[in-house]
Amino acid sequence: MSSTPGSRHARKSWREKLAGYPRLPEVKPIPPAMQRRHGPGTIVTPSPREVEEAMRRVPEGRLVTVFGIGEQLAREHGTTIGCTVTTAIFASMAAQAAAEERQAGRGDITPYWRTLKVDGELNLKYPGGLDELMRRLESEGHTVVQRGRRYFVEDFETKIIGS
């Protein structure tokens, strides 16, 4: 565990935080409030490990969205939908863990820059922000375009795994 100088309590690493969900994955009925949009059925709340593994399977030059990971995990669990909110949270945690591991000298990190928001938008909360994400994506052959204040991978739909 790492600790902040002068603190009395050790701070958990992002890797330790990812490991802190022993009750996941969990499959349950779609909550009534969500049934208006998705209908009846079941929803999987994935484990952080499953989300990170899905991110790690994205090869160079290809992309995935948080929604796509949620759909993939729903298929794997035989559910109607996957919880994209939890998927996005765990994707962000996996990105932070990857940055910690890169700082520690590990080379084989989760390629978090290949995981986009639903509409192909870059997640500027990922480590390194816009500059790092653009550098990594462009080095893999993608073009990043600005629309208003947001940034997207051009033609991302053609580069999604499975397309």
Side-chain angles (χ1 to χ4, degrees):
M1 274 196 241
S2 60
S3 61
T4 306
S7 72
R8 296 174 64 187
H9 302 286
R11 183 181 66 86
K12 284 186 177 182
S13 71
W14 285 103
R15 176 68 45 213
E16 290 168 323
K17 290 176 185 180
L18 281 170
Y21 296 85
R23 292 191 169 95
L24 297 179
E26 177 183 49
V27 173
K28 59 186 178 184
I30 296 174
M34 291 178 70
Q35 287 183 20
R36 285 184 222 114
R37 182 174 179 190
H38 300 285
T42 53
I43 183 171
V44 62
T45 302
S47 72
R49 178 187 48 75
E50 290 175 305
V51 173
E52 185 175 38
E53 285 174 3
M55 293 170 72
R56 288 185 72 81
R57 287 193 296 264
V58 181
E60 185 172 328
R62 302 297 292 210
L63 301 167
V64 71
T65 64
V66 168
F67 182 77
I69 291 173
E71 286 182 320
Q72 172 191 334
L73 294 173
R75 283 191 301 275
E76 290 175 11
H77 286 279
T79 63
T80 311
I81 60 173
C83 180
T84 53
V85 171
T86 305
T87 300
I89 291 167
F90 291 156
S92 184
M93 291 171 69
Q96 297 297 335
E100 280 181 347
E101 290 163 355
R102 184 179 62 232
Q103 285 180 323
R106 182 169 167 209
D108 182 31
I109 64 167
T110 300
Y112 59 87
W113 53 93
R114 298 177 191 153
T115 301
L116 305 174
K117 292 183 178 184
V118 172
D119 52 3
E121 183 179 359
L122 276 60
N123 187 338
L124 300 183
K125 293 182 181 178
Y126 282 171
L130 176 62
D131 291 341
E132 177 77 6
L133 295 172
M134 282 183 64
R135 182 184 68 74
R136 288 183 175 274
L137 288 164
E138 289 174 351
S139 77
E140 294 185 3
H142 303 291
T143 302
V144 176
V145 295
Q146 183 176 2
R147 294 186 198 130
R149 294 183 176 181
R150 298 162 58 195
Y151 295 84
F152 301 82
V153 172
E154 190 172 61
D155 299 324
F156 82 97
E157 303 93 341
T158 65
K159 299 170 183 176
I160 295 290
I161 289 181
S163 65

